[in-house]
Amino acid sequence: MSVSRPTVWITRTAPGADRLADRVRAAGFAAVVSPLLTRDPDFRAPEVPLDDVAALAFTSVNGLAFARLTPRRDWPVFAVGDRTAEAARRAGFTDVVSAATSTGGDAAALAERIAADWGDRRGVLLVPGAEQPAVDLAGLLVGRVLVRAFTVYRTVETAAPVPATFDIVLIQSARAAEVLARGLIQEAAAKSIAVALSSAVAAPIAACGFAEVRIAARPDENSLMEALGKAPRPV
């Protein structure tokens, strides 16, 4: 008797969606990539406030769009994980620290690394990212480091339809969860599992009626994959 591979719907915005799909397939699942959000090609970042910036922090690779807005590369950079740190180095930044730990990188670890390394720096920590960021770094550093968020990209809803068949859906932002909640019929939810990056991300789908909702232990991709688990092996 054989067991078919469960299909996982990847809702994440490109380009991370394809990389995540590769990890999902390596775990033994089938994967369908159909992002709920995409970057707005018409968005234009405002003028960059640089005069009082003491350091930069990037919570994702997408934040490195900031590098196109200024030729300066002299700031220290704090990155949420090794992949983001490497992207910062490729963009020309040389003083780069990764907050990755043995369990991966997440916002809490990034905040603690920044606070520990901030020392007597004067000025603000500039955090380039999405117009509606999934990570509240300012909240994690309140009272310790002055933080200014700076929008370098905006996401908009895609017109992609709900996949015809899926068994599990991975959700990595509250905004994507809101889009999912509006477009998913309850019958499809009742037959599937949702795996969310955090409780806050899962909140918009609370009334969807999923058969099961799993929450990652930490808000990072490694924990999301742990919550997904391994696919049943064919027998």
Side-chain angles (χ1 to χ4, degrees), residues 5-10 30-34 161-169 184 188 191-192:
R5 295 191 301 163
T7 298
V8 178
W9 174 13
I10 311 294
V32 56
V33 175
S34 186
V162 173
T165 59
F166 69 95
D167 302 292
I168 304 168
V169 57
L184 188 64
K191 298 177 182 178
S192 58

Side-chain angles (χ1 to χ4, degrees), residues 9 12 30 32 41 44 67 78 87-88 91 105 116 125 137-138 176 178 180-181 192-193 197 203 217 235:
W9 174 13
R12 183 176 180 177
V32 56
R44 296 293 178 267
F78 296 94
L125 175 73
L137 201 57
E178 291 168 1
L180 178 65
S192 58
I193 296 169
L197 194 67
V235 294

